[in-house]
Amino acid sequence: MDRLTSSPRLMIVSDLDHTMVDHHDPENLSLLRFNALWEAKYRHDSLLVFSTGRSPTLYKQLRKEKPMLTPDITIMSVGTEITYGNDMVPDEGWIEFLNQKWDKKIVSEETSKFPELTMQSETEQREHKASFYVKKEKAHEVMKTLSERLVSRGLDVKIIYSGGMDLDILPQGAGKGKALAYLHKKLKAAGKLPQNTLACGDSGNDAELFTIPDVHGVMVKNAQEELLQWYAENAKNNPKIIHATERCAAGIIEAIGYFKLGPNVSSRDVTDLSDSKLDHFDPAYEVVKFYLFFERWRRAEVDNPEVYLSNLKSVCSPSGVYVHPSGVEQSLHECVDKLKECCGDKKDKQYRVWVDQVFPSQIDSDTWIVKFKKWEQTGEEQQGCLTTVVVSSKDVKPTEGLTWVHVHQTWINGTTPNTRNDWFF
Ligand code: GLC
Ligand code: MG
């Protein structure tokens, strides 16, 4: 986590399926609300950690399907694989540690003796994780017997039941909680222990996240029976753990507010964006706000288009330039004029825009360079642009917002559109 020079303000460690991602919400609204909040208010000085049961294969698949942010750290395969950054560089120390008292061959031999266990797909069988399906009624008995047999063969394992169907077998030292404790230790050694950590989950494999000292926890509203039961038996009197009244990512936002961990109003919940003024310059917030406007504009959700356009023009420098990913240059004012043509063109088309990894850096007393990824999704198709924006606070007051001086975009590999249906920004 080299980009952080000191302790992160907040570290969110969140499960994905049915926690960050609501599979019952085809609009992905709570996830998009969380994204806007994170990018505008937390990204620059906080840490986002995804902790999922999925293997790298299924994790990457989910990222293609859903409007997800890029985490700083990705913990996969139920806390058995830890990776860092965009390139997902594996933590070799963790792999070595997990080899203790673990022998996958013995696990296979013993599990094959249980007709109640059905093996999960090949992608979900990992070096330090063996995964099966087992019916709810059989789970308890199978776990007990299997555990005894593995102990008698000299292994020290952990068996976890999740979602009322999945059974994972891991080394004792693995799991989502152990992986979090390991990260805390590593961050502490580097002098970067987070000021606050919030763990978020919905199912059995998330339970141990809530056992790590000094961690706030939220079980989202839609938490599974096995997690709620664990809570009732083990953590009922712990004031640091709540059962949210909201589903999935909305429950995470609720917990940020409940535990007073920082700002908890997402720009997506602000209807009139032109009305939400700040008393200080905030480039990340400006970027998030602009792309929300852009989405609403194309979805035909902007109330006063004319007023909006003239406001927009007033925050673009007359000499400002936009460099399109194709290399074509245009003045920013021309671009604003052109916006008229795409007003409402994505109405009823499940169109969404979100920004990811918004990193502003101040280059002199009144200028910032903001780098980020802008993503657009229409139906199932995602398209991304690496974007660099230069904004300036020269001759403006904070309440007027920053002046956009330069915008430059490049297609993100593999998402170049086939048609020139792209417009601007
Ligand atoms: C994810 C994984 C699966 C695992 C389950 C519960 O669904 O793909 O292998 O059993 O999480 O941890
Ligand atoms: Mg889950």
Side-chain angles (χ1 to χ4, degrees):
M1 292 306 89
D2 301 337
R3 72 175 169 84
L4 295 169
T5 49
S6 57
S7 284
R9 185 159 51 105
L10 177 63
M11 173 163 155
I12 285 196
V13 183
S14 179
D15 169 53
L16 296 176
D17 296 290
H18 309 290
T19 301
M20 189 57 88
V21 175
D22 189 345
H23 292 284
H24 292 103
D25 173 17
E27 290 278 333
N28 300 304
L29 269 184
S30 61
L31 175 58
L32 289 161
R33 286 174 62 218
F34 175 84
N35 292 357
L37 174 63
W38 189 259
E39 293 300 333
K41 301 293 170 195
Y42 292 94
R43 175 65 84 172
H44 66 285
D45 65 357
S46 296
L47 279 182
L48 184 61
V49 182
F50 287 164
S51 186
T52 178
R54 291 184 179 232
S55 63
T57 310
L58 290 192
Y59 166 64
K60 285 173 193 161
Q61 193 172 315
L62 185 67
R63 289 199 60 181
K64 284 198 189 129
E65 293 163 5
K66 296 284 175 183
M68 287 163 63
L69 297 182
T70 307
D72 299 283
I73 303 174
T74 317
I75 304 173
M76 290 162 295
S77 310
V78 198
T80 62
E81 300 182 60
I82 302 178
T83 69
Y84 302 95
N86 292 346
D87 303 330
M88 297 177 67
V89 179
D91 188 316
E92 302 291 345
W94 185 239
I95 298 172
E96 226 159 87
F97 171 72
L98 294 185
N99 283 333
Q100 292 168 28
K101 289 203 183 175
W102 175 250
D103 187 334
K104 189 104 190 268
K105 223 175 110 236
I106 296 178
V107 174
S108 301
E109 276 169 28
E110 291 302 326
T111 48
S112 68
K113 298 177 189 161
F114 288 80
E116 301 91 334
L117 292 176
T118 312
M119 215 162 148
Q120 289 185 14
S121 72
E122 204 46 53
T123 61
E124 302 315 281
Q125 312 303 331
R126 307 293 295 167
E127 200 179 332
H128 297 105
K129 167 176 171 282
S131 293
F132 302 85
Y133 298 118
V134 62
K135 293 214 175 83
K136 249 187 203 173
E137 334 55 279
K138 303 272 179 183
H140 190 72
E141 186 57 33
V142 169
M143 284 165 79
K144 198 169 154 270
T145 321
L146 180 60
S147 162
E148 286 162 7
R149 294 215 190 141
L150 290 171
V151 168
S152 74
R153 299 222 32 201
L155 298 197
D156 192 8
V157 300
K158 182 181 270 179
I159 306 179
I160 305 176
Y161 194 53
S162 303
M165 61 191 261
D166 297 316
L167 186 134
D168 301 311
I169 305 164
L170 324 167
Q172 186 59 249
K176 291 185 173 190
K178 288 279 163 61
L180 170 55
Y182 174 81
L183 284 178
H184 266 171
K185 201 171 148 204
K186 241 181 141 156
L187 287 164
K188 193 175 177 188
K192 295 178 187 174
L193 189 67
Q195 290 165 31
N196 282 302
T197 300
L198 175 65
C200 322
D202 77 297
S203 85
N205 68 14
D206 300 313
E208 48 171 75
L209 281 175
F210 304 125
T211 64
I212 307 306
D214 300 324
V215 166
H216 296 278
V218 53
M219 304 182 293
V220 291
K221 177 186 182 181
N222 48 294
Q224 290 282 337
E225 195 183 308
E226 77 259 352
L227 181 63
L228 295 176
Q229 198 181 333
W230 170 86
Y231 172 75
E233 286 165 11
N234 301 283
K236 223 173 160 185
N237 298 320
N238 184 349
K240 284 191 148 188
I241 303 174
I242 59 163
H243 184 190
T245 61
E246 304 258 13
R247 290 180 59 81
C248 299
I252 302 178
I253 300 176
E254 178 186 337
I256 293 176
Y258 180 87
F259 293 120
K260 299 190 170 49
L261 303 176
N264 68 332
V265 178
S266 170
S267 305
R268 272 200 184 264
D269 299 334
V270 178
T271 338
D272 189 354
L273 291 167
S274 56
D275 228 21
S276 53
K277 315 257 190 240
L278 296 183
D279 56 1
H280 59 280
F281 292 112
D282 188 340
Y285 173 73
E286 295 287 336
V287 164
V288 168
K289 214 171 72 166
F290 172 76
Y291 284 97
L292 266 173
F293 153 73
F294 190 63
E295 176 189 294
R296 289 174 186 178
W297 180 261
R298 298 188 70 178
R299 287 174 60 97
E301 291 172 356
V302 172
D303 282 343
N304 285 312
E306 288 306 324
V307 179
Y308 231 108
L309 278 197
S310 74
N311 283 347
L312 190 58
K313 218 169 195 170
S314 70
V315 299
C316 286
S317 157
S319 58
V321 166
Y322 165 60
V323 186
H324 186 271
S326 65
V328 175
E329 284 190 22
Q330 264 175 343
S331 90
L332 287 179
H333 278 197
E334 257 167 33
C335 290
V336 175
D337 290 336
K338 275 199 174 171
L339 270 178
K340 285 202 187 92
E341 296 169 34
C342 67
C343 182
D345 69 333
K346 294 283 189 183
K347 192 167 183 247
D348 303 324
K349 295 207 171 127
Q350 286 186 299
Y351 172 74
R352 294 290 175 191
V353 183
W354 68 101
V355 287
D356 181 25
Q357 297 186 297
V358 180
F359 290 119
S361 52
Q362 187 155 13
I363 52 173
D364 66 32
S365 61
D366 49 25
T367 316
W368 288 262
I369 288 189
V370 195
K371 275 193 179 176
F372 56 93
K373 291 170 183 156
K374 183 232 28 187
W375 287 95
E376 287 177 71
Q377 183 161 335
T378 308
E380 314 231 299
E381 197 194 329
Q382 286 186 2
Q383 213 168 78
C385 270
L386 207 56
T387 308
T388 307
V389 175
V390 180
V391 288
S392 161
S393 63
K394 205 158 184 244
D395 304 326
V396 285
K397 295 190 205 79
T399 49
E400 296 165 345
L402 291 149
T403 308
W404 291 51
V405 178
H406 190 87
V407 182
H408 194 146
Q409 294 190 316
T410 317
W411 297 125
I412 290 172
N413 272 350
T415 70
T416 314
N418 303 322
T419 50
R420 276 287 319 256
N421 59 355
D422 51 294
W423 284 91
F424 151 76
F425 290 139

